């Protein structure tokens, strides 16, 4: 805790100050926009950006992680609360804080119990599908705000909102695609050019805000954020006793997603910093404390933002002090007069959200998975489709279920190779892939997976099929070089196989049994019942058995 502060060097201060200022400028429009996605007043997004990063700095291990509101978590918050309360009501705000509290407690518990490995059940294709589906849902949900009227065939267009919203959208897209090259063409340093492009949303929001009084857009019907309360959020905790159970499932899911999103960004930046070490369980504690802090300060669930963290890194952040400076600047923004925040036009904020989430549409994972493993590609598409059709939580459950189903299917159908010897060597390879020699009466099979209750029957069936294809087999050698474990069900299956083969006149041998597996087998009855031998290597088995198979004689010492 605070190890970075004890080791702090004055040379790191300029970078931390510059990064803190840049991210604070980025956070104001982004935090307010993501609060709207969550169904909360815009100022709540700033509330959720003050206390959480301060608490994360106490416990977290990433020096560049920027903790606060994020699009996907905001969508999950809205999805969880919509059936329970009406957005904008007092109960809705209470439940948002309660959800942050429960998510934080989940993360804290996982960190203290050191069970962060559970997050590994979310595969990368599932995460990518979830991100794609969420981005589309968020963008679609903002179209009505962008054009100032509900999306419907009979809706009358509101031209002032359409002009402001689409104009903001075009400027943001242009800045995203061409501003960095333009600034570099103007001989700015690459880092400065990249940061300048990232601050384009702030410039667009400020420009649109200036147009509201200049063109009297409120009188024309353009929606704005409205009055923003001045002053810091009060520290309190209000909960609804009737909704603890209803919020449990979404709190668990949000907790896992917070950890996954945060760790993915933090790990990528840690590698850029020359292998910065991250402690996953301390990250869980830090993120948990951040969410509890958000609940206490009138916020909603927060996470580490990949885009803001990247800006924080590019702006020169050296330690967690950069995030603390950002939080202090945001607090000052609320203490100072906030009248200008009331003029922020909602169509421009909607454009900011749409451009931000469209940047999350990364199709490279789908292309790779489609070429490499269709099951993973289908899980990605199913997750995205589930989010679009069934909702956020159901979509993730569908994706995880399909990924686990594919894993179980692969494990239940392990690859088994018929081995032969490469001529003149002691190397044994799959006869379907190499020109390898075999000998009549000797069948060598390599099982390429651990043996457990889910695949032992399939393995025995495949052995029977190979014996039928290799009539006259006298000795069967199971090469277990790829078998890391044999559970109790598989042990009984091997004992039954040994007895069945004995009745058919086939001797069963084992080869290349790994040490931990052999330790377990020595405590069983299999080795005492085995009709054949246990060989150190496939080459030993070949040397001992190949000469005795043609006449059907038992191997020496068998």
């Amino acid at each position: 805790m605070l190890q970075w502060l004890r080791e702090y060097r004055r040379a790191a201060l300029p970078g931390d100050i510059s990064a803190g200022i840049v991210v604070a400028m980025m956070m104001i429009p982004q935090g307010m926009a993501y609060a709207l996605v969550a169904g909360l007043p815009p100022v709540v997004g700033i509330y959720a950006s003050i206390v959480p990063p301060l608490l994360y700095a106490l416990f977290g291990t990433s020096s560049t992680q920027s903790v606060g509101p994020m699009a996907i978590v905001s969508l999950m918050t809205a999805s969880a609360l919509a059936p329970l309360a009406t957005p904008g009501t007092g109960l809705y705000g209470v439940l948002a804080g309660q959800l942050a509290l429960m998510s934080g407690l989940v993360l804290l518990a996982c960190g203290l119990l050191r069970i962060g490995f559970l997050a590994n059940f979310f595969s990368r294709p599932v995460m990518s599908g979830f991100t794609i589906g969420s981005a589309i849902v968020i963008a679609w949900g903002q179209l009505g705000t962008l054009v100032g009227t509900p999306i419907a065939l009979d809706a009358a267009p509101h031209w002032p909102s359409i002009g402001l919203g689409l104009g903001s959208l075009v400027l943001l897209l242009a800045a995203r695609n061409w501003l960095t090259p333009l600034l570099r063409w103007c001989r700015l340093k690459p880092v400065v050019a990249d940061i300048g492009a990232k601050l384009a949303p702030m410039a667009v929001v400020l420009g649109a805000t200036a147009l509201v009084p200049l063109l009297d857009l409120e009188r024309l019907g353009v929606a704005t954020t409205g009055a923003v309360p001045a002053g810091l959020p009060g520290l309190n905790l209000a909960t609804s006793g009737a909704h603890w159970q209803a919020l449990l499932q979404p709190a668990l899911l949000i907790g896992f997603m917070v950890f996954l999103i945060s760790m993915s960004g933090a790990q990528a930046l840690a590698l850029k910093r020359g292998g910065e070490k991250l402690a996953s369980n301390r990250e869980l504690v830090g993120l948990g404390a951040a969410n509890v802090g958000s609940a206490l300060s009138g916020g909603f669930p927060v996470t580490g933002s990949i885009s803001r963290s990247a800006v924080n890194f590019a702006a020169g952040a050296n330690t967690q002090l950069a995030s603390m400076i950002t939080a202090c600047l945001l607090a000052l923004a609320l203490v100072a007069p906030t009248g200008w925040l009331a003029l922020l036009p909602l169509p421009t904020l909607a454009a900011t959200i749409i451009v931000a989430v469209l940047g999350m549409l990364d199709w490279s994972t789908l292309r790779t998975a489609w070429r490499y493993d269709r099951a993973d590609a289908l899980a990605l598409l199913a997750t995205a489709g589930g989010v679009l059709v069934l909702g956020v939580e159901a979509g993730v459950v569908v994706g995880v279920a399909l990924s686990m189903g594919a894993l179980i299917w692969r494990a239940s159908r392990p690859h088994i190779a018929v081995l032969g010897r490469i001529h003149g060597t002691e190397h044994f390879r799959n006869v379907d892939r190499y020109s390898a020699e075999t000998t009549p009466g000797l069948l060598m099979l390599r099982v390429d997976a651990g043996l457990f209750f889910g695949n032992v029957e399939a393995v025995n069936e495949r052995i029977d099929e190979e014996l039928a294809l290799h009539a006259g087999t006298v000795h069967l050698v199971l090469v277990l070089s790829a078998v890391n474990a044999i559970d109790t069900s598989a042990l009984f299956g091997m004992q039954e196989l040994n007895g069945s083969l004995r009745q058919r006149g086939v001797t069963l041998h084992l080869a290349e049994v790994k040490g931990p597996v052999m330790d377990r087998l020595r405590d069983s009855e299999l080795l005492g019942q085995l009709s054949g031998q246990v060989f150190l290597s496939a080459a030993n088995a070949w040397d001992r058995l190949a000469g005795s198979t043609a006449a059907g004689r038992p191997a020496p010492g068998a």
Side-chain angles (χ1 to χ4, degrees):
M1 183 175 172
L2 286 178
Q3 180 179 354
W4 63 269
L5 185 57
R6 292 192 293 270
E7 300 174 353
Y8 198 82
R9 296 292 181 268
R10 184 178 298 177
L13 186 58
D16 285 339
I17 293 176
S18 63
I21 294 172
V22 169
V23 175
M25 294 176 64
M26 185 181 180
M27 182 73 85
I28 291 177
Q30 199 174 82
M32 298 178 77
Y34 291 156
L36 291 175
V37 173
L40 294 161
V43 71
V44 176
I46 300 180
Y47 291 165
S49 307
I50 298 175
V51 176
L54 295 176
L55 290 175
Y56 174 82
L58 296 179
F59 301 99
T61 57
S62 172
S63 59
T64 54
Q65 184 83 276
S66 176
V67 175
M70 196 259 189
I72 291 178
V73 175
S74 297
L75 174 64
M76 297 179 72
T77 299
S79 176
L81 301 184
L84 305 177
T86 303
T89 62
L91 177 60
Y92 193 94
V94 167
L95 294 182
Q98 188 169 340
L99 184 60
L101 174 66
M102 296 176 68
S103 301
L105 293 176
V106 167
L107 290 164
L108 283 171
C110 290
L112 295 175
L113 296 175
R114 301 180 179 276
I115 55 176
F117 68 89
L118 291 176
N120 295 330
F121 286 103
F122 291 84
S123 67
R124 182 163 181 172
V126 168
M127 281 292 298
S128 180
F130 174 76
T131 301
I132 290 172
S134 298
I136 295 173
V137 169
I138 293 171
W140 177 259
Q142 294 301 312
L143 287 181
T145 304
L146 181 76
V147 299
T149 185
I151 301 300
L153 294 176
D154 57 348
H158 187 259
W159 295 112
S161 295
I162 292 174
L164 186 61
L166 293 183
S168 301
L169 189 66
V170 170
L171 287 175
L172 289 168
L173 289 174
R176 177 176 174 176
N177 294 320
W178 300 308
L179 185 56
T180 298
L182 178 61
L183 294 176
R184 291 184 179 181
W185 181 78
C186 294
R187 299 182 181 274
L188 292 179
K189 293 181 178 180
V191 173
V192 176
D194 291 340
I195 293 174
K198 293 293 192 302
L199 292 178
M202 185 66 182
V204 172
V205 167
L206 289 175
T209 302
L211 289 177
V212 171
L214 186 64
L215 302 179
D216 201 9
L217 294 180
E218 281 188 293
R219 185 181 60 82
L220 297 177
V222 174
T224 60
T225 58
V228 174
L232 298 175
L235 294 179
N236 61 76
L237 180 62
T239 61
S240 171
H243 293 91
W244 288 102
Q245 185 173 355
L247 293 176
L248 180 58
Q249 179 180 335
L252 289 170
L253 187 56
I254 288 175
F256 281 121
M257 295 305 298
V258 164
F259 179 56
L260 289 172
I261 294 170
S262 300
M263 284 299 293
S264 62
Q267 286 173 342
L269 293 175
L271 292 175
K272 291 184 178 181
R273 294 184 68 89
E276 179 183 63
K277 300 297 183 182
L278 300 179
S280 60
N281 289 306
R282 281 185 59 191
E283 284 294 295
L284 282 166
V285 173
L287 293 167
N291 276 276
V292 172
S294 183
L296 294 174
S297 56
F300 58 102
V302 296
T303 185
S305 168
I306 297 174
S307 60
R308 281 199 312 272
S309 298
V311 171
N312 198 32
F313 171 80
N318 294 302
T319 68
Q320 289 89 324
L321 180 61
S323 292
M324 300 180 76
I325 292 173
T326 296
C328 293
L329 291 175
L330 292 173
L332 288 175
L334 290 178
V335 173
T338 57
W340 69 277
L341 292 175
L343 299 177
L344 287 175
L346 295 186
T348 298
L349 286 180
T352 303
I353 295 170
I354 291 172
V355 172
V357 299
L358 289 182
M360 296 158 48
L361 294 176
D362 180 12
W363 302 103
S364 61
T365 301
L366 176 60
R367 290 194 296 268
T368 300
W370 190 260
R371 293 193 301 265
Y372 185 76
D373 192 329
R374 294 289 173 85
D376 282 339
L378 292 175
L380 186 156
L381 293 172
T383 304
V387 170
L388 293 173
V389 177
L390 303 176
V392 176
E393 292 86 357
V396 174
V397 171
V398 167
V400 172
L402 286 175
S403 291
M404 295 302 296
L407 176 64
I408 293 172
W409 173 259
R410 295 189 192 102
S412 66
R413 297 291 187 274
H415 178 258
I416 297 178
V418 178
L419 299 184
R421 187 178 68 172
I422 303 298
H423 182 71
T425 72
E426 292 188 350
H427 298 293
F428 288 78
R429 294 293 185 267
N430 187 340
V431 297
D432 292 333
R433 298 179 182 273
Y434 294 86
S435 178
E437 61 183 1
T438 60
T439 185
L442 173 62
L443 177 61
M444 304 181 72
L445 299 178
R446 188 188 67 221
V447 183
D448 291 338
L451 298 177
F452 71 109
F453 64 90
N455 66 10
V456 62
E457 290 297 328
V459 170
N460 285 349
E461 290 175 4
R462 174 65 189 280
I463 290 174
D464 287 338
E465 293 173 2
E466 292 297 337
L467 287 173
L469 293 174
H470 296 81
T473 296
V474 177
H475 297 287
L476 171 64
V477 180
L478 294 183
V479 180
L480 304 183
S481 55
V483 176
N484 296 314
I486 299 175
D487 74 356
T488 303
S489 298
L491 175 66
F492 282 120
M494 293 185 67
Q495 290 176 344
E496 294 168 2
L497 174 66
N498 180 63
S500 173
L501 292 177
R502 189 193 299 271
Q503 294 177 0
R504 296 157 62 178
V506 178
T507 305
L508 176 64
H509 306 270
L510 306 179
E512 300 187 11
V513 184
K514 291 190 173 182
V517 177
M518 180 59 75
D519 292 340
R520 300 282 297 276
L521 292 180
R522 288 195 182 98
D523 295 330
S524 72
E525 299 177 354
L526 176 63
L527 297 183
Q529 299 173 355
L530 193 66
S531 57
Q533 294 178 263
V534 178
F535 292 100
L536 181 64
S537 67
N540 292 149
W542 176 277
D543 293 340
R544 296 289 297 276
L545 302 175
S548 64
T549 53
R553 300 188 305 272

